[in-house]
Amino acid sequence: MKRFQVLEHTADLKMRVFGNTLKELFQNAAFALAVNQKGNSEFKGECLIKKIKIKAKDQNFLLIDFLNQLLFLSDTEEKVFGEVKIKRLDEKNLEGEAYGYKYRELNLEIKAATYHEIEIKKEKGTFVAEIIFDI
Amino acid sequence: MISRENLKEIEDFLFEIPAEFRKEMKVPVRIYASEEMLEQIVGDRSLEQLVNVATLPGIQKYALAMPDIHQGYGFPIGGVGAFREENGVISPGGVGYDINCGVRLLRSEISIKDLEPHLEEIMEGLFHEVPSGVGRGGKFVVRGSELDEVLKKGVLWAVKKGWAFKEDKECCEEAGEMKAADPKMVSQFAKKRGEDQLGTLGSGNHFLEVQRVVEIFNKEKAEKLGIFKNQITVMIHSGSRGLGYQVCADYLRILQKSFQKWSSELIDRELIYAPIMSEEGQDYYGAMAAAANYAWVNRQLLTYLTREVFRKVLRGKVKNVKFPLVYDIAHNIAKKRVHEIDGKKVKVCVHRKGATRAFGPGEKDIPERYQDIGQPVIIPGSMGTNSYLLVGREKAMQETFGSVCHGAGRALSRTAAKKKERGEKIRQDLEKRGIIIKCRSMRGIAEEAPHAYKDIDEVVRVVSKAGLAEIIAKMEPLGVLKGD
């Protein structure tokens, strides 16, 4: 199954992310973010493990706040967090671990994930979300 | 969908969507554009977004669009909205993630004929000495109470450190130090991101450009600005880096939680706001002003690095290598100020997102040396195209809260731009024209190619014909350093 797809947008980065389960959707969103930051999906070598714990109003906000947390970690730890293990995910909470990998140079500087029209939907049994990143 | 029929022509280069267009609108929408530009403008959601802005509490006069307008989220880019302080709102989306993304112009006594033999070496020097900051930190690591000094004092901090002249501070919007800055309102997350990013360019459309003045439109005013034909100038376009992005993200998050306190309905999530007088509104303003100061320091440190490169490369070869600052302007910012509305003085918070302040002659906020001619306005073109220096006019004060456009505005998406032409070919085309491009990735070049943007000459012509600003000089790129 495709994990994500990059869509057209005039000024920013717009992506559609997929998942068979909600956990998978969140994990694929983290993957999509890191692939665009790094320019490829080669996450290897020593990894830095960071704990993630987020509370939000609902799952849509949770997804965006989660991605922004990964961007914060990325900027401060100088790694891309392409892999995430989610231990707890409910309407308002997310807990897990993010694995950060080194990179030589970043392909793209992503400023933030935005709340723009964020809505996790279910299409033909698959969870889908469209996310706009400010770049 | 808004179409051409919904727009009423008010005068040449000025159109209006009346407040009756939608019942929630409190004021009309006004668009500065040529008839030809309108076709492109109605092609995206920017006017819908402006109509949404026109519904926000406390908005004064008009929700304004500049000719470089394009779709953003919440506020469009190239939009201006002013809200009455006592009952109006402040919105982080009306400022943008890159708080105080802005541009400055440095002038010199050097002319093209003296620089030409050394241009390649200068560009190499800049490429090596000026960090892009994309995954690589800067040269100035600033933490803890010192970072708080940067956030509070802005360019004054840089003057004390010996990285700025007194004149650099004078010739900066807000003197590079917004007094409302409150470092306590900036989160630890934002500060952590900002620690090693001072003096870094950043990517996307940020750049450092060595230019030549190719045309003077008003010799007398150009002289007052220290500008002459064939002069070498440098333009630096950058913002508040990770610190600013985090401040915006933090407050969007905070406001999501608090919003129920003042409203249950939100026309567009990204248009989330707080009443200016609320605690959250004041906190955001304090944090935004601190991030703005950070951006001014950032551009100042980039200036310092640039001056060092020129000095080193040209030592013994070219005389008088100084690069004084003409002016520095913000184009993503919110400013509290008293403006005259319908004959009364009203304190408003003016949001400029992808729009530049352009105060006319006699305004007290502009440096004394420019009082006669008006505030310098720097409009950078996109990569490989012309840039302009203008001065603000009184008409801007009356019609747009003293605002004009900020640049060319995007016309093509990044994917469409990449499909249209490959980065390597664009680099070759530009180099055929004698423009040296220094950039770490070809992808960055393709996405920022000239054809991805609107026509800067047209955008500037419209603001000039609309009487908002006067064109003084046109600059052409000789060498461009891009962030990524």
Side-chain angles (χ1 to χ4, degrees), chain B residues 103-106 169-175 225 324-329 357 365-367 370 375-378 389:
Chain B
V103 64
R104 58 172 42 193
L105 181 69
L106 309 174
K169 189 178 180 337
E170 278 164 24
C171 292
C172 193
E173 190 176 331
E174 295 289 325
L225 290 157
L325 179 63
V326 175
Y327 207 62
D328 177 312
I329 47 99
R357 195 186 75 175
D365 308 52
I366 66 184
Y370 300 137
Q375 178 216 307
V377 177
I378 300 142
L389 175 64

Side-chain angles (χ1 to χ4, degrees), chain B residues 235-252:
Chain B
M235 210 173 253
I236 300 175
H237 177 210
S238 184
S240 52
R241 315 293 293 103
L243 185 136
Y245 317 155
Q246 191 67 40
V247 166
C248 182
D250 289 340
Y251 279 88
L252 285 173

Side-chain angles (χ1 to χ4, degrees), chain A residues 38-55:
Chain A
K38 190 163 188 279
N40 60 56
S41 54
E42 291 157 25
F43 305 127
K44 49 185 179 210
E46 219 180 285
C47 81
L48 174 71
I49 306 177
K50 296 297 272 191
K51 284 201 172 5
I52 304 249
K53 189 171 181 178
I54 305 195
K55 252 185 168 45

Side-chain angles (χ1 to χ4, degrees), chain B residues 10-37:
Chain B
I10 301 292
E11 59 186 42
D12 277 346
F13 306 106
L14 179 57
F15 299 85
E16 183 178 282
I17 300 173
E20 294 73 40
F21 175 76
R22 236 169 95 179
K23 68 173 181 357
E24 298 93 343
M25 284 169 77
K26 298 179 167 66
V27 295
V29 165
R30 280 210 166 175
I31 305 125
Y32 289 86
S34 64
E35 185 65 62
E36 295 72 34
M37 284 169 157

Side-chain angles (χ1 to χ4, degrees), chain A residues 14-118:
Chain A
K14 187 173 179 179
M15 291 207 282
R16 189 179 283 149
V17 185
F18 309 93
N20 286 323
T21 63
L22 269 176
K23 255 193 208 176
E24 208 175 85
L25 178 77
F26 276 65
Q27 274 157 195
N28 287 343
F31 177 74
L33 173 60
V35 168
N36 277 275
Q37 284 180 285
K38 190 163 188 279
N40 60 56
S41 54
E42 291 157 25
F43 305 127
K44 49 185 179 210
E46 219 180 285
C47 81
L48 174 71
I49 306 177
K50 296 297 272 191
K51 284 201 172 5
I52 304 249
K53 189 171 181 178
I54 305 195
K55 252 185 168 45
K57 205 159 80 169
D58 65 36
Q59 269 176 343
N60 295 316
F61 289 112
L62 201 56
L63 178 59
I64 300 301
D65 290 352
F66 163 64
L67 292 170
N68 280 326
Q69 176 72 342
L70 294 177
L71 278 167
F72 164 76
L73 287 172
S74 190
D75 220 9
T76 49
E77 303 292 345
E78 294 186 6
K79 300 218 166 18
V80 285
F81 289 80
E83 279 167 27
V84 176
K85 194 190 298 183
I86 297 182
K87 300 188 171 159
R88 178 189 174 193
L89 179 61
D90 59 44
E91 260 301 306
K92 295 175 198 266
N93 297 281
L94 183 154
E95 274 176 48
E97 281 175 351
Y99 303 92
Y101 295 89
K102 274 188 355 197
Y103 54 80
R104 258 194 326 130
E105 289 204 5
L106 274 186
N107 174 57
L108 181 61
E109 183 189 53
I110 297 179
K111 294 187 176 108
T114 77
Y115 293 121
H116 186 65
E117 289 175 1
I118 182 65

Side-chain angles (χ1 to χ4, degrees), chain A residues 8-12 55 57 61 65 72 75-76 78 103 105-109 111-118 134-135, chain B residues 45 73 97-98 134-136 189 192-193 196-197 203 241-242 245 253 256 269-270 410 412-415 419 440 443 484:
Chain A
E8 284 274 332
H9 191 280
T10 316
D12 294 320
K55 252 185 168 45
K57 205 159 80 169
F61 289 112
D65 290 352
F72 164 76
D75 220 9
T76 49
E78 294 186 6
Y103 54 80
E105 289 204 5
L106 274 186
N107 174 57
L108 181 61
E109 183 189 53
K111 294 187 176 108
T114 77
Y115 293 121
H116 186 65
E117 289 175 1
I118 182 65
D134 190 315
I135 57 176
Chain B
R45 291 190 59 236
Y73 36 84
Y97 280 94
D98 196 356
V134 182
R136 26 179 83 206
F189 295 115
K192 189 122 208 302
R193 281 177 87 167
D196 69 346
Q197 292 187 349
S203 66
R241 315 293 293 103
Y245 317 155
R253 202 157 169 256
Q256 291 294 345
R269 229 181 238 134
E270 280 286 338
R410 287 200 72 98
L412 286 181
S413 73
R414 287 167 199 279
T415 35
K419 275 190 200 133
R440 283 181 177 86
R443 192 215 81 249
D484 73 343

